[in-house]
Amino acid sequence: KPYVRLFSESTNVMLKNWEALDAGSTIDVFHHMSLMTLDSMLKCALSQQTDCQTRKTNDYIAAVYEMSDLSMKRGRTLPHRIDLIYALSSNGRKYRKACKLVHDYAERIIAERKETLQQQSVEEARNRKKYLDFLDILLEARDEDGNGLTDAEIRDEVDTF
């Protein structure tokens, strides 16, 4: 239930963006829905307020879109299906740059959340947010020996999500 409010907020931002458009103008619904979905996911899974639907530019969002576009181009370009050839291509370099930006963003979020959790007890964190998000669950996860996930493992999970 705590996520309903977050989804509603993201949907309302999208609708306000549509209301601001000129009457009779056309819109790219896919673009708006993608931003609304990403906004909702970042709020619910990582407790991140990116304002990605209202900001004109956002390096993280741009990198995610570029990685998606480059992945599609790679699939359509037969030689680029070979990792070495792709790595040496201009698209491969662009992909690595975008991937680094996304990884850096995830690592920054993880470091900030770890610091916040260390400054307050887990119980205080739960009471403050009223729910655990995906990142909280990853940070608190322990195996049978009491070991948590490494930062790299958490980053990989966040990036995948």
Side-chain angles (χ1 to χ4, degrees):
K1 285 193 175 189
Y3 299 111
V4 172
R5 181 184 56 78
L6 297 174
F7 281 117
S8 180
E9 288 173 6
S10 295
T11 303
N12 288 336
V13 170
M14 181 184 69
L15 294 174
K16 284 180 185 174
N17 288 340
W18 288 358
E19 289 172 357
L21 297 172
D22 295 328
S25 63
T26 60
I27 62 169
D28 178 3
V29 175
F30 178 78
H31 174 73
H32 286 267
M33 292 297 293
S34 296
L35 285 175
M36 189 269 301
T37 302
L38 184 60
D39 190 26
S40 298
M41 286 178 55
L42 289 170
K43 286 177 183 177
C44 295
L46 306 175
S47 297
Q48 291 293 300
Q49 300 286 341
T50 63
D51 298 323
C52 65
Q53 295 187 76
T54 55
R55 289 178 58 190
K56 295 296 179 201
T57 60
N58 181 306
D59 292 341
Y60 175 76
I61 306 301
V64 169
Y65 274 118
E66 184 170 31
M67 289 173 62
S68 175
D69 184 53
L70 290 168
S71 294
M72 295 300 291
K73 286 179 182 176
R74 184 179 185 186
R76 291 189 307 261
T77 308
L78 192 60
H80 284 179
R81 294 181 188 176
I82 300 169
D83 290 339
L84 179 61
I85 293 173
Y86 188 69
L88 297 173
S89 72
S90 62
N91 281 352
R93 289 188 294 278
K94 287 178 189 176
Y95 186 86
R96 280 193 310 280
K97 183 178 177 184
C99 195
K100 180 179 178 349
L101 195 146
V102 169
H103 284 327
D104 291 347
Y105 182 81
E107 288 168 357
R108 190 180 79 246
I109 291 170
I110 293 164
E112 288 171 1
R113 184 66 59 80
K114 276 182 141 179
E115 184 177 323
T116 300
L117 289 176
Q118 288 173 350
Q119 292 174 356
Q120 60 189 10
S121 73
V122 174
E123 197 60 40
E124 287 174 331
R126 284 186 181 143
N127 289 336
R128 181 179 54 84
K129 289 182 10 180
K130 306 244 191 284
Y131 65 93
L132 286 176
D133 64 22
F134 179 66
L135 183 54
D136 290 332
I137 293 168
L138 290 175
L139 289 169
E140 293 179 12
R142 300 283 179 259
D143 63 14
E144 53 277 347
D145 297 326
N147 299 318
L149 297 169
T150 67
D151 287 349
E153 291 170 329
I154 294 170
R155 187 206 64 209
D156 290 345
E157 292 297 327
V158 166
D159 288 347
T160 300
F161 190 78

